[in-house]
Amino acid sequence: MARRLLVAALAVAMALMSVMASAAAETLSWQHVPVPAQVRPQAGLNEAVAFGPGRAWAVGTDAVGREAPGFPLMLRWDGAAWKRQSLPGVGWQGELLSVAATSPTAVWAVGRDAAGAAHLLRHDGKTWRETRAPGGVALTKVVAGGDETWLIGSRDGAQALLRWDGRGWRDVPVPPGSVYGLHILAADDVWAAGATNSGAAVSHWDGQAWQQTIVDGFPRSAVSSVLAVSPTEVWAGGTAGFVGGPPGKPIPPLLVRFDGQAWSHATVPTDFGSISSLAPTKSGALGWVSVVRSQKWGPPGSNPPLVPGPDFLAWNGQSFTEHSEPAVAGEGDSWVLQLAPVPGTDTVWSVGRAAGPEGTFAPRIQRFG
């Protein structure tokens, strides 16, 4: 009798634990994380990179006026709060556009000043210092992966890609059209997301040449983010490029998937918006998709005809779960959402900028996990 009671009690306890765990999983959501008080009004963030639960960087600009370019903004996460980081020797006005790293002691940031000149900063684990940018190149993005660091930019109006060889920046051949994003696995295994006159394009670099595929044939379609999970699973996201239709002329998102043989369109649970970022899980599989200006068709006859759609989509290997960003008092929705996963964890950051009061904009940091 006592044994049966013990078994029954254990069964009840296990059932309760299962229910509690399920409830905890269901309550996980994106949380707003405040920016430092030192960040001035009219600020925004463009990109972030994380190394672990206690270390991350985010870049952008602040104190932007109607005729003032603003100032480079660098934030550091110390495990408890975001803090503004000083930038010794950086006296120019403008913004930091991108940040990437191969390790905590090799972090790069790309900036642009008020005159349009490119700036390149490097962090050695102790301090940020400005280093010489490649001559004649207007830089837009830095990407790291597989112990590689590449730059995306343009030279004399043409696309330019450059690779760090440990001593300097060397030009890499460029696929046709434009490149907006890279996923670097190794020096001879790089995926590029972009567009051509024929539509959205994804290209693969094998160390010798690019092999390009048009993944969506609409002329104004483009992909800006690409994630290579394996040789038989590659994802790319952007916009289908449709213009016209509902009020405000929203455009549909574009998410495509490669299975090792061909590219196909993936269905996402939103009708309009642009996929701005893809983030992997700690195992390297697709984990998150961010969608800016996400909208759905409302019920038939509804006015307005569109309702807000999900800002984040969580992929479990079979389907997407919709997530919305939390409301922030005095601010509107985000119109920049860039994801930065925390290696070795299920946590992911999102940084960007959101609509502020009276036509201004505000920095936005969010975290899941």
Side-chain angles (χ1 to χ4, degrees):
M1 182 66 177
R3 184 176 180 180
R4 284 199 296 269
L5 289 173
L6 178 60
V7 170
L10 288 173
V12 171
M14 291 177 66
L16 287 173
M17 290 175 64
S18 177
V19 169
M20 292 172 63
S22 177
E26 292 176 358
T27 59
L28 282 178
S29 61
W30 285 86
Q31 302 295 323
H32 174 250
V33 181
V35 299
Q38 301 95 327
V39 176
R40 293 163 288 193
Q42 193 76 343
L45 296 168
N46 293 319
E47 208 167 68
V49 63
F51 305 106
R55 186 178 300 182
W57 297 99
V59 299
T61 182
D62 78 342
V64 180
R66 292 184 178 179
E67 298 181 3
F71 296 87
L73 175 62
M74 177 77 70
L75 302 181
R76 176 178 59 89
W77 173 256
D78 63 5
W82 286 93
K83 297 179 179 179
R84 182 159 192 160
Q85 181 74 20
S86 62
L87 298 172
V90 176
W92 45 272
Q93 288 184 267
E95 69 177 315
L96 294 173
L97 303 169
S98 179
V99 62
T102 53
S103 74
T105 58
V107 190
W108 297 87
V110 163
R112 178 176 55 209
D113 66 25
H119 292 267
L120 189 61
L121 284 67
R122 186 174 185 179
H123 188 263
D124 60 4
K126 296 181 179 179
T127 187
W128 284 96
R129 288 188 174 88
E130 188 155 6
T131 184
R132 179 177 296 181
V137 181
L139 299 175
T140 56
K141 192 174 181 67
V142 57
V143 184
D147 293 326
E148 292 279 304
T149 304
W150 288 34
L151 298 173
I152 301 176
S154 61
R155 182 189 291 116
D156 299 326
Q159 181 85 65
L161 294 176
L162 300 100
R163 171 181 175 268
W164 177 253
D165 68 1
R167 298 182 301 276
W169 296 99
R170 304 288 180 255
D171 277 82
V172 178
V174 181
S178 301
V179 173
Y180 303 125
L182 298 170
H183 186 194
I184 306 171
L185 299 172
D188 58 355
D189 191 2
V190 181
W191 293 85
T196 71
N197 291 334
S198 300
V202 175
S203 306
H204 181 255
W205 172 255
D206 63 5
Q208 300 296 322
W210 290 98
Q211 181 179 355
Q212 186 175 78
T213 302
I214 303 301
V215 296
D216 185 87
F218 192 84
R220 289 189 290 268
S221 64
V223 284
S224 60
S225 185
V226 60
L227 175 66
V229 178
S230 71
T232 59
E233 185 181 356
V234 183
W235 299 80
T239 172
F242 174 82
V243 177
K249 298 182 178 180
I251 53 179
L254 174 63
L255 183 65
V256 291
R257 182 179 184 178
F258 181 62
D259 63 4
Q261 299 294 324
W263 289 88
S264 60
H265 287 68
T267 301
V268 293
T270 187
D271 297 308
F272 302 102
S274 177
I275 292 175
S276 58
S277 188
L278 307 176
T281 64
K282 59 185 177 183
S283 66
L286 175 66
W288 288 94
V289 176
S290 61
V291 188
V292 294
R293 303 189 187 278
S294 177
Q295 293 178 299
K296 290 182 175 184
W297 287 112
S302 62
N303 188 22
L306 299 175
V307 298
D311 304 293
F312 304 102
L313 303 173
W315 176 251
N316 63 7
Q318 299 294 327
S319 61
F320 287 107
T321 301
E322 303 177 34
H323 292 258
S324 296
E325 64 176 348
V328 179
E331 298 179 8
D333 295 334
S334 294
W335 47 276
V336 173
L337 291 168
Q338 287 294 326
L339 301 172
V342 179
T345 75
D346 294 320
T347 300
V348 61
W349 291 99
S350 171
V351 302
R353 57 188 71 189
E358 299 180 355
T360 62
F361 59 90
R364 177 68 58 84
I365 301 179
Q366 302 169 91
R367 181 177 60 188
F368 185 92

